[in-house]
Amino acid sequence: MQANGAGQGQESSELSCLNSAQNGESSSAGGTHSNGLLSSTDNGNSVGTSNGSSIGTSSAASTASGSEVGSLKKKKRLSQAEEDVIRLIGQHLHGLGLNQTVDLLMQESGCRLEHPSATKFRNHVMEGEWDKAENDLNELRALMHSPNAIVRMKFLLLQQKYLEYLEDGKVLEALQVLRGELTPLKYNTDRIHVLSGYLMCSHAEDLRAKAEWEGKGTASRCRLLDKLQSEDPFPYSDPVLSPLYVPPSGLNLCPDLPAAYLPPSVMLPPRRLHTLLRQAVELQRDRCLYHNTKLDSNLDSVSLLLDHVCSRKQFPCYTQQILTEHCNEVWFCKFSNDGTKLATGSKDTTVIIWQVDPESHQVKLLRTLEGHAYGVSYLAWSPDDTYLIACGPDDCSELWLWNVQTGELRTKMSQSHEDSLTSVAWNPDGKRFVTGGQRGQFYQCDLDGNLLDSWEGVRVQCLWCLSDGRTVLASDTHQRIRGYNFEDLTDRNIVQEDHPIMSFTVSKNGRLALLNVATQGVHLWDLQDRVLVRKYQGVTQGFYTIHSCFGGHNEDFIASGSEDHKVYIWHRRGELPIAELTGHTRTVNCVSWNPAIPGLMASASDDGTVRVWGPAPFLDSQEADGLNENCSNMDS
């Protein structure tokens, strides 16, 4: 095909479409493109053939064709968005090696893939002609976003030049680059010190390993071009000003950085179309209410022809099992950290350990731990799942530390008959735990129940140990959560609510806390910023102690029991529930999401049962919709 309009040989510093033949004028003679395709014209219409043969038509057909093409010639000028799409497609095709196709696309559209100076620069980099590439940078200087960008780009070029000299054994030449070219730039002195250390490498393999560099050749030069096209790896000497630095608030001070050296109108960022498609897929997954699997950034794992959508039937909102071995109210349930076991505690004075089948995800009774005279209202697995601690209700002054593997009681602890040990949390080292209750006891103990530290006068409702191994979070009767440091004996206020905090749990990364607040429901707090993030709607929460949880892949979901006999599930970013699970007949006291199997969840209720929830069984859609214990779709 033949490009339309005059001025095709003219080079402009601006990268815009060059199709100017809006009046329908075109060359009357055929031509051969650089890709070898022969084109012929008929009444201004360019006709390309893949085999170079001409196409013959009748006189009448030619007249009709000319009329039709005449209207096409008067098409409007391409918009900026259309130009961008053409360039993105061209870059992608170029990456696939379809260079002739790219030539045709650019010629027919009148667009240019990148600035001529950028093309020249790219070619010189790939050929290792570093002096010419450096001269090209001077031509590109006026097109750069930042006046300092050329220094940073020269640094990257000279670094590659230096490493290639070293790999070739040209130590004197490399030393000259280091001393005479890199050092005078007075840029990133720390990196220059690192580079100088590579002079001591005894052979090329040692250099590539220490420099984490692919070696001289296409791979490392392509990576260099990626860096030159995309971002500045050393934008700031002060780490607090670096875009990679996340301040205590968790907010990025420079969300739009790292920035490209050259504007995209001059040189497109590397693999830009692939990046946009990946972002689109990730955004669709992010907005999918029921997406509960690992995010695969590989585009080959998805279809780009359809929007991403997860079915509700893939979500854990169908009853898989009803466990009826307890003979009274079930107050608590908790999966082990590795997801292979489930522990349930009941008013019937027992703890039952259940084994989770890794294939079928069915649970079966493993062993029963007896003797908790007041019942079991709270359970905590040790970090390695070897031990399980059981606590009782308000009038219980004892706790039990069980060896789950053997079923033996290792420790039965009671400091005083006047104590109320209703909550417990493990230190991350697995060698200590903290426990307390509403009568003012707050202890740190070892595995044998020996008292290590105590904090007087704290009426504890719920406890959690942070990953730093020093800070303990405790909700108390003053409607707050405070952080207590047992090493330096300091404490500070973190969360303040207006109503009693009945229970709380913390996300794996220690950033978010999920609170069940009396008469209010479920609240999500940011522990670093100390702000209320979200109030989740739907749940009925009075003054019963109900335990909610984070769950699903990446802890994207939140689940809670409720006094209206339901289990509620929310996507973490939405206030309205995405599912209401029915089936229990009394208050649901606790919900636990399996940390290793995102599609498995358990709930414990005053109706004496534990329900295990999972995806819909393999039934046809009508049968699945007709299940008695199902998930009410709350998607708006």
Side-chain angles (χ1 to χ4, degrees):
M1 294 182 153
Q2 188 171 352
N4 303 324
Q8 292 180 12
Q10 179 181 359
E11 290 186 359
S12 170
S13 61
E14 305 212 358
L15 254 176
S16 60
C17 255
L18 303 177
N19 53 344
S20 57
Q22 298 181 14
N23 57 5
E25 295 178 2
S26 67
S27 172
S28 60
T32 303
H33 298 307
S34 60
N35 53 24
L37 293 184
L38 181 69
S39 66
S40 61
T41 60
D42 184 14
N43 294 331
N45 180 27
S46 295
V47 182
T49 61
S50 58
N51 56 11
S53 62
S54 60
I55 299 176
T57 59
S58 66
S59 175
S62 298
T63 303
S65 175
S67 175
E68 187 176 346
V69 171
S71 63
L72 291 176
K73 293 298 181 181
K74 296 178 181 179
K75 65 182 179 181
K76 65 177 183 178
R77 184 180 181 86
L78 293 178
S79 67
Q80 184 62 53
E82 290 168 335
E83 293 179 25
D84 291 345
V85 170
I86 289 173
R87 293 182 64 210
L88 291 173
I89 293 173
Q91 183 195 44
H92 184 71
L93 294 175
H94 179 74
L96 297 176
L98 304 177
N99 297 326
Q100 293 182 1
T101 306
V102 176
D103 290 342
L104 282 175
L105 177 62
M106 295 299 115
Q107 189 173 16
E108 183 178 10
S109 65
C111 292
R112 192 162 50 199
L113 190 58
E114 60 186 12
H115 195 282
S117 296
T119 302
K120 186 168 59 172
F121 173 66
R122 178 194 303 277
N123 292 336
H124 287 153
V125 169
M126 291 305 298
E127 294 164 4
E129 298 184 12
W130 306 116
D131 293 338
K132 293 182 180 180
E134 193 170 347
N135 291 332
D136 297 336
L137 282 181
N138 295 324
E139 296 181 19
L140 292 168
R141 181 194 295 268
L143 302 175
M144 295 181 183
H145 280 309
S146 167
N148 296 324
I150 190 168
V151 177
R152 299 194 287 265
M153 294 182 77
K154 282 184 178 180
F155 186 91
L156 291 175
L157 281 177
L158 293 172
Q159 177 179 255
Q160 177 79 11
K161 179 181 179 181
Y162 168 77
L163 292 173
E164 291 193 7
Y165 274 148
L166 281 182
E167 186 181 53
D168 290 340
K170 299 178 180 179
V171 178
L172 292 179
E173 289 86 342
L175 191 59
Q176 175 58 34
V177 172
L178 185 68
R179 292 178 175 176
E181 298 182 66
L182 277 168
T183 303
L185 291 177
K186 297 180 180 179
Y187 178 76
N188 198 8
T189 306
D190 291 340
R191 179 61 179 167
I192 289 179
H193 290 327
V194 173
L195 292 174
S196 64
Y198 298 153
L199 288 166
M200 306 304 294
C201 293
S202 56
H203 48 77
E205 291 77 9
D206 187 27
L207 171 66
R208 290 193 289 266
K210 289 184 177 179
E212 298 179 356
W213 178 60
E214 297 91 337
K216 178 180 179 180
T218 302
S220 64
R221 291 172 182 174
C222 284
R223 185 178 294 271
L224 171 62
L225 278 172
D226 285 353
K227 291 180 181 179
L228 292 169
Q229 285 174 270
S230 55
E231 62 188 45
D232 178 3
F234 317 113
Y236 301 105
S237 58
D238 184 349
V240 175
L241 295 179
S242 169
L244 303 180
Y245 170 79
V246 179
S249 66
L251 300 176
N252 197 326
L253 293 174
C254 308
D256 295 327
L257 294 173
Y261 291 109
L262 294 168
S265 60
V266 176
M267 180 183 283
L268 286 173
R271 295 172 293 279
R272 182 59 182 161
L273 181 60
H274 183 277
T275 299
L276 289 173
L277 292 173
R278 179 170 48 81
Q279 289 173 350
V281 170
E282 290 176 354
L283 180 62
Q284 289 188 17
R285 286 172 171 171
D286 201 41
R287 291 180 174 177
C288 178
L289 290 179
Y290 300 106
H291 188 79
N292 192 27
T293 57
K294 183 178 180 180
L295 295 178
D296 188 348
S297 60
N298 185 0
L299 291 180
D300 293 336
S301 65
V302 299
S303 171
L304 299 177
L305 306 181
L306 296 171
D307 286 346
H308 172 85
V309 60
C310 290
S311 169
R312 180 170 56 91
K313 294 179 176 62
Q314 301 169 292
F315 203 69
C317 54
Y318 297 89
T319 299
Q320 305 278 25
Q321 288 178 269
I322 303 176
L323 310 179
T324 59
E325 278 72 6
H326 285 295
C327 56
N328 209 324
E329 298 173 357
V330 186
W331 289 340
F332 201 83
C333 62
K334 185 71 174 178
F335 282 104
S336 59
N337 297 294
D338 62 6
T340 62
K341 295 179 181 65
L342 171 68
T344 57
S346 171
K347 187 179 179 180
D348 67 6
T349 74
T350 67
V351 172
I352 297 181
I353 308 296
W354 310 83
Q355 186 72 45
V356 179
D357 187 286
E359 300 297 331
S360 67
H361 299 168
Q362 294 286 300
V363 302
K364 62 180 181 179
L365 194 150
L366 181 62
R367 59 173 47 93
T368 301
L369 310 176
E370 300 176 337
H372 311 86
Y374 295 90
V376 178
S377 62
Y378 196 85
L379 296 165
W381 291 89
S382 64
D384 63 358
D385 295 325
T386 299
Y387 298 106
L388 181 73
I389 296 180
C391 297
D394 289 343
D395 51 355
C396 180
S397 62
E398 301 172 324
L399 64 75
W400 291 258
L401 194 157
W402 295 91
N403 186 315
V404 180
Q405 310 298 328
T406 64
E408 297 176 351
L409 179 65
R410 170 161 179 168
T411 304
K412 182 179 179 181
M413 173 190 152
S414 178
Q415 294 295 325
S416 169
H417 292 295
E418 297 180 356
D419 284 353
S420 172
L421 303 182
T422 58
S423 185
V424 67
W426 284 89
N427 189 284
D429 64 12
K431 300 176 182 179
R432 297 169 288 164
F433 61 86
V434 291
T435 183
Q438 291 195 6
R439 297 179 185 175
Q441 300 80 34
F442 189 10
Y443 305 130
Q444 182 171 223
C445 307
D446 63 16
L447 295 182
D448 295 318
N450 299 314
L451 186 63
L452 301 177
D453 296 290
S454 65
W455 210 295
E456 298 296 330
V458 182
R459 298 181 180 274
V460 172
Q461 178 71 25
C462 192
L463 293 165
W464 193 273
C465 289
L466 294 184
S467 58
D468 62 8
R470 300 185 303 271
T471 306
V472 178
L473 303 183
S475 61
D476 56 31
T477 54
H478 296 285
Q479 306 168 3
R480 65 189 180 183
I481 295 177
R482 292 179 66 80
Y484 297 86
N485 190 316
F486 274 91
E487 291 186 359
D488 57 17
L489 299 180
T490 59
D491 60 319
R492 59 193 176 98
N493 208 47
I494 297 177
V495 169
Q496 182 66 60
E497 284 278 1
D498 295 328
H499 298 81
I501 301 171
M502 306 308 295
S503 69
F504 76 94
T505 186
V506 177
S507 60
K508 290 179 181 178
N509 62 10
R511 180 67 185 267
L512 301 173
L514 194 61
L515 285 60
N516 283 75
V517 184
T519 72
Q520 302 300 301
V522 180
H523 291 179
L524 182 69
W525 280 78
D526 187 312
L527 296 178
Q528 289 188 16
D529 291 344
R530 304 183 192 180
V531 295
L532 177 63
V533 177
R534 194 160 287 112
K535 295 181 179 180
Y536 297 101
Q537 301 178 22
V539 68
T540 302
Q541 169 79 64
F543 288 90
Y544 285 111
T545 299
I546 293 176
H547 300 272
S548 56
C549 68
F550 293 96
H553 186 76
N554 201 34
E555 294 191 326
D556 284 333
F557 302 98
I558 285 168
S560 177
S562 176
E563 293 180 21
D564 63 2
H565 315 164
K566 297 178 182 179
V567 174
Y568 287 83
I569 302 177
W570 300 266
H571 198 286
R572 198 170 68 188
R573 291 183 300 277
E575 296 182 356
L576 297 177
I578 62 172
E580 296 178 8
L581 314 189
T582 61
H584 285 295
T585 58
R586 293 182 63 187
T587 296
V588 180
N589 299 307
C590 183
V591 180
S592 179
W593 211 305
N594 192 299
I597 306 173
L600 193 64
M601 188 172 62
S603 58
S605 170
D606 281 348
D607 64 11
T609 68
V610 175
R611 285 183 175 250
V612 180
W613 307 87
F618 293 103
L619 304 173
D620 61 46
S621 58
Q622 292 182 349
E623 290 175 313
D625 288 336
L627 290 176
N628 290 328
E629 294 81 31
N630 65 0
C631 164
S632 300
N633 188 4
M634 303 298 293
D635 189 3
S636 56

